[in-house]
Amino acid sequence: MNERIKLLADQARKHYPGTELSGEYWVFDEQLFAKLIIKECVDIVSGTAVDTPPNDLFYGYNLGVNKAAENIKERFEIEK
């Protein structure tokens, strides 16, 4: 498994200390894991924007990149 995916999976584990009777336990939160992966994808897409002097080509490209990131967040109902 990819190291980044392992790290995200670890972040999606929630620890519950429990009580003297129940003991501690860990729960894997699938929704949080999916949200973390989606946020990672949005960061990758957003990171492809070009930081150069403005011209029509780069302006249009950056608009497309930003729109793609917004569409992903909207589709999966992810906040910024």
Side-chain angles (χ1 to χ4, degrees):
M1 185 184 310
N2 176 298
E3 287 301 315
R4 186 68 188 150
I5 292 174
K6 286 180 186 177
L7 179 64
L8 295 175
D10 285 343
Q11 291 175 9
R13 294 176 67 215
K14 293 184 177 181
H15 177 256
Y16 294 94
T19 65
E20 295 171 8
L21 296 176
S22 66
E24 69 175 345
Y25 60 97
W26 291 85
V27 174
F28 184 75
D29 186 335
E30 290 108 358
Q31 288 187 349
L32 177 57
F33 183 57
K35 190 177 279 192
L36 291 169
I37 290 174
I38 293 163
K39 284 183 177 183
E40 188 87 2
C41 293
V42 167
D43 289 346
I44 291 168
V45 169
S46 298
T48 62
V50 180
D51 187 26
T52 59
N55 68 39
D56 289 344
L57 175 64
F58 291 125
Y59 180 74
Y61 175 81
N62 284 342
L63 280 177
V65 165
N66 292 330
K67 185 62 177 169
E70 287 176 26
N71 287 344
I72 292 169
K73 289 187 284 190
E74 184 179 314
R75 168 71 58 92
F76 293 103
E77 299 175 356
I78 303 291
E79 308 85 37
K80 287 188 174 190

